[in-house]
Amino acid sequence: MLRGFVLGSLVMSGMAALLLIYQWTMFSSTSDGKGLAPTVEEQFDIEVEGGLAHIVQEISGLEPGQSYSLIMEDVHKDFKCELDLNKPCLLEDGEERKLVTTGNNGKLIFTYQFPIPDELVMKDWAIQLMNGDERIQGKVDVTLKAVGDRVKAWETNGLQQAAINKEYVDFYRWIKKEHGTPSLIHYDPDHLKLWKKDEFVLLYPSSSQLESEQLQELGKLASEYEDQVIVASENEKGISLEEIGNGVLSNQAFYQELTDPWTPLTEEERQAAHVISDAIHPTDEPKGNRMSTMTEMVTKAFGDEELGQLEALLIDGVQQKSFVNELDEALSTVKQMPTTFFAGNQASSEVIPLYFYDQRQVVWKEKVLPWRTISREGESFYPLGGVASAAGMEVIPIPEDRSYIVEYDNRSYRFYEQSETFITDEERFGLTEEAIIRVNEEIYIREQLIGDLFDIRLNESEDAIVMIPKK
């Protein structure tokens, strides 16, 4: 009877093994190896148990007798290397890294352990092989066996071929379409949902009722960046993106208005969000002339360090109470001068230049004037009406050709908006770069012309700008 029981057990075990092999074969028949290296192949067999990943990494198709350098992290433990079964590798110390030499079969087999990180994604978990400065890459196959942990599911940004549950062990197998080691994602399916398109993976809270169009929008934004594994977090404002792989996205709270196309933003507010994000992280995405002009203005006005400060401010997220005003506040904080750039452009059909209000008082004949100058690209502009009122000039607007005639000291000067010429006494042309500009429906005149044409000397200090008549 015992003999019959043993024979029966053997038969059942054989049938289970054949069934598992058949399942792998069925799943593997859908594999797609297009675009992969034809010679070098990497096979990873991973067993996950008790917070550790036990990895066997086999690389074949290498040059026989060739020496390669190894890139190993401190987290790689219990490393062993073989040329083939029970044939140890030749390892030696190079100038910067350890060197390993292949045998006649052009194969290397590494075994090591890797602790499962607390983060959702394992990146750069494999040992890398280098030929000089070139990373050896090829077709990559990954099989993973997770033992005794049914709370977590595994995924990768490669093409999944199989996921088989058997007793207390979950089996997975993937193939990577392109070169490089795929990210391995371990997540709790009770708290996170997974959305996948091609090789992009998005994880988002299970409590979020995202529609297909919303997921497409999130994927479209995230695909503009290098990483292909993104997690979306949920807060009181909705859904925002956070990067969990290579540090490209950082915290994406300040892209809230881009990642949430269903939030109640106007088209102007959404354009403002694109302008500020494109200035901080430029993309090749086509945009209209208005947005391109505004983005160029922000990029010119802020250096790399200032853009970094701007990003750090916006990372805390906007409150959506007055979105464009909060963007203006961020610009103002970095420059330490107020601006209403986004708010002004929201209300204007034309592009208002990026400007900042000078905080210093303006003084004329010991009287503090009720207005401030503005700074644009490092140059100062004064309100034309304010200067005329203080200095006793007369300003005559000519709306049909968008010009302004200033009469002063028996002379007249005609200035045109968006022009590099002005006319003296209606007969002589002068040249200057944008003599006047319009900001929030007010006309400003370039500082240089105040001294050159109107006989006004400017005495500037840290606290005030004193306008002194030369006569």
Side-chain angles (χ1 to χ4, degrees), residues 182-358:
S183 300
L184 293 177
I185 310 162
H186 52 110
Y187 67 101
D188 183 350
D190 289 335
H191 296 92
L192 289 174
K193 293 181 181 179
L194 183 140
W195 182 78
K196 191 173 180 179
K197 182 178 180 181
D198 298 326
E199 292 200 10
F200 172 71
V201 172
L202 172 69
L203 292 166
Y204 61 97
S206 298
S207 58
S208 302
Q209 302 299 317
L210 297 183
E211 302 294 337
S212 176
E213 290 184 2
Q214 298 164 353
L215 291 169
Q216 294 285 349
E217 287 290 337
L218 288 168
K220 180 181 177 182
L221 174 69
S223 65
E224 296 175 0
Y225 299 88
E226 295 178 17
D227 207 349
Q228 292 180 311
V229 182
I230 306 294
V231 65
S233 64
E234 189 172 31
N235 51 43
E236 66 276 5
K237 295 179 295 183
I239 299 293
S240 59
L241 298 185
E242 294 180 7
E243 188 274 340
I244 50 176
N246 61 11
V248 173
L249 287 179
S250 184
N251 184 324
Q252 284 294 321
F254 75 97
Y255 287 125
Q256 179 74 33
E257 279 61 37
L258 299 183
T259 60
D260 291 351
W262 53 94
T263 55
L265 291 180
T266 65
E267 181 60 29
E268 290 80 7
E269 289 173 326
R270 203 172 303 284
Q271 286 183 4
H274 278 284
V275 166
I276 201 73
S277 64
D278 286 344
I280 296 173
H281 292 293
T283 68
D284 295 329
E285 182 178 350
K287 37 191 174 286
N289 291 335
R290 180 183 179 88
M291 289 176 56
S292 296
T293 301
M294 293 176 65
T295 302
E296 184 179 355
M297 288 176 176
V298 175
T299 305
K300 281 185 176 180
F302 291 85
D304 292 341
E305 184 176 344
E306 290 178 319
L307 286 174
Q309 295 172 8
L310 184 61
E311 180 175 19
L313 283 173
L314 295 172
I315 274 176
D316 291 334
V318 295
Q319 303 303 314
Q320 286 188 205
K321 291 176 292 188
S322 180
F323 177 60
V324 293
N325 290 335
E326 293 182 63
L327 291 183
D328 284 334
E329 287 177 13
L331 297 178
S332 302
T333 301
V334 173
K335 284 293 185 183
Q336 297 185 334
M337 292 190 294
T339 185
T340 54
F341 173 64
F342 284 111
N345 273 293
Q346 186 179 19
S348 174
S349 59
E350 298 181 359
V351 178
I352 295 174
L354 176 56
Y355 58 90
F356 297 89
Y357 289 105
D358 196 319

Side-chain angles (χ1 to χ4, degrees), residues 441-459:
E441 299 308 314
E442 186 167 1
I443 300 300
Y444 287 78
I445 185 169
R446 189 177 292 275
E447 178 185 70
Q448 177 187 344
L449 297 179
I450 296 175
D452 292 348
L453 304 181
F454 303 143
D455 296 326
I456 297 175
R457 182 164 56 88
L458 302 173
N459 188 2

Side-chain angles (χ1 to χ4, degrees), residues 16-159:
L18 287 173
L19 177 60
L20 185 59
I21 293 172
Y22 173 74
Q23 288 175 301
W24 281 121
T25 303
M26 292 298 292
F27 277 111
S28 299
S29 64
T30 63
S31 65
D32 181 5
K34 295 180 181 178
L36 299 174
T39 53
V40 177
E41 296 185 2
E42 289 190 82
Q43 173 66 51
F44 293 92
D45 292 309
I46 306 171
E47 181 173 320
V48 177
E49 186 175 13
L52 278 178
H54 306 269
I55 301 173
V56 178
Q57 176 180 351
E58 180 176 319
I59 309 174
S60 57
L62 299 168
E63 291 290 334
Q66 174 72 39
S67 293
Y68 299 91
S69 57
L70 294 169
I71 294 183
M72 300 173 58
E73 305 296 337
D74 293 338
V75 292
H76 293 130
K77 304 296 183 183
D78 299 332
F79 172 76
K80 295 180 181 179
C81 176
E82 294 180 331
L83 299 176
D84 211 337
L85 188 62
N86 297 325
K87 293 184 179 179
C89 297
L90 173 61
L91 292 171
E92 54 187 328
D93 292 328
E95 293 183 2
E96 298 181 4
R97 309 183 184 103
K98 279 193 175 297
L99 297 177
V100 60
T101 303
T102 62
N104 294 330
N105 60 0
K107 182 190 296 185
L108 292 171
I109 303 173
F110 304 142
T111 58
Y112 52 94
Q113 294 183 7
F114 190 101
I116 306 299
D118 293 333
E119 293 80 11
L120 291 174
V121 174
M122 291 171 56
K123 285 185 68 81
D124 300 325
W125 48 269
I127 291 176
Q128 297 184 27
L129 205 60
M130 306 288 293
N131 185 8
D133 295 330
E134 183 180 355
R135 162 85 160 93
I136 300 300
Q137 300 182 105
K139 179 180 177 181
V140 179
D141 284 284
V142 180
T143 60
L144 185 146
K145 179 171 69 172
V147 181
D149 188 3
R150 287 296 170 86
V151 177
K152 297 290 178 67
W154 287 84
E155 185 56 82
T156 181
N157 56 332
L159 174 65

